Amino acid sequence: KYVHQRLESSFGKDCYYRNFTFKGDEKFDGILDGQNVVCCFETKYAHWSYKAQLTGKREDMEATLKQLFSSDKKIKGLGQLTRSIIELDKQVWQLPFERKNRKILPVLVVGEMMPMDAYNRKLYEDIARAAGVFYENSSVMPFIVLNAEEIEILEAIAIEHGKDMAENLLVQY
């Protein structure tokens, strides 16, 4: 709920749609009808184990990373984003607004800080590819990962400099 409030404050309730469902099936936690892109948000509050926080070792982080970037029995995180984007591309359902040939930007919002350097980004992509949830399509941009603090910063930028600047920062991320 908190993330939704920040995004609504950033972009306006007329552009941000909370908990978007189609025929009773939730497709995204939120959708942004942006000027240049359509941002699809999924919020996942996976928590790092104490051991993972201390060691930072791949094997200690694996369970949490799989929750975020894979597709187990109950699809969550990036898997849920990917499934819904593929359905949208296949026109199984429609957005509540005109897409107008804009690209889709998948945004995974996490509860805790995650390292986003190039090495870890590759690790996340490798896990997603292995699980079959890394969607590569000319109409879809690479997924980004933000945490709640970064959403707050985005809100501050939108209030100070306008929602177009905040959207452009999302695209550049």
Side-chain angles (χ1 to χ4, degrees), residues 48-57 60-62 64:
W48 298 103
S49 70
Y50 184 65
K51 187 175 181 181
Q53 290 177 16
L54 285 177
T55 67
K57 291 182 179 176
D60 297 332
M61 299 168 58
E62 192 170 1
T64 302

Side-chain angles (χ1 to χ4, degrees), residues 6 8 11 24 49 51 60 62 64 71 73 75 77 81 92 98-99 102 111 122 129 138-139 146 156 160 173:
R6 304 290 59 82
E8 285 174 346
F11 299 103
S49 70
K51 187 175 181 181
D60 297 332
E62 192 170 1
T64 302
S71 176
K73 291 176 186 168
I75 297 174
L81 275 170
V92 172
E98 286 293 319
R99 184 168 167 191
R102 291 174 288 174
K122 182 174 178 341
R129 274 191 183 93
S138 62
S139 69
L146 300 175
E160 184 72 24
Y173 191 86

